[in-house]
Amino acid sequence: MSKSLDPGKKRKEVIDEILNKTLGVMKKICHRHDGCRIIQGCLKYGDQDQRNQILELFVHPKEMIELAKSKYGHFLAMKIAKYLTKV
């Protein structure tokens, strides 16, 4: 017999784990292809508190400019701009 998991609860746990492991290095990994995609997924599928954790790191205009100039980071900058308008 298999246990059924609430997909929302499982997703929240996975995103919390990702954020806990990457919070100190998030600004570095968002300039890499795989890291950028992971953070975008956290923004897309995370709840509002999880999104706010990510958005707080990039609120400063200097951080956003640096991110926007990055080869892969500019995709995350666009996603952040999308979610900042929803806040």
Side-chain angles (χ1 to χ4, degrees):
M1 183 186 293
S2 65
K3 291 189 220 175
S4 63
L5 292 173
D6 176 20
K9 184 177 181 182
K10 179 68 173 169
R11 184 179 291 160
K12 181 176 175 19
E13 292 172 3
V14 170
I15 293 173
D16 279 338
E17 183 179 346
I18 291 169
L19 292 177
N20 288 335
K21 289 184 177 183
T22 62
L23 206 53
V25 293
M26 192 174 296
K27 290 181 182 178
K28 291 181 184 178
I29 68 167
C30 68
H31 295 282
R32 295 176 39 204
H33 178 263
D34 51 351
C36 180
R37 294 292 301 259
I38 291 169
I39 303 306
Q40 287 181 63
C42 290
L43 279 172
K44 182 175 181 178
Y45 296 111
D47 61 20
Q48 193 59 47
D49 291 333
Q50 293 166 330
R51 288 180 186 147
N52 288 341
Q53 283 182 338
I54 298 168
L55 296 176
E56 287 174 3
L57 293 173
F58 300 102
V59 170
H60 193 276
K62 184 178 178 182
E63 298 293 336
M64 282 297 288
I65 291 170
E66 183 181 325
L67 194 61
K69 289 180 179 179
S70 171
K71 180 177 180 178
Y72 298 110
H74 76 277
F75 293 108
L76 181 59
M78 289 189 299
K79 186 73 79 172
I80 288 172
K82 175 182 173 182
Y83 285 103
L84 280 176
T85 59
K86 291 183 178 182
V87 173

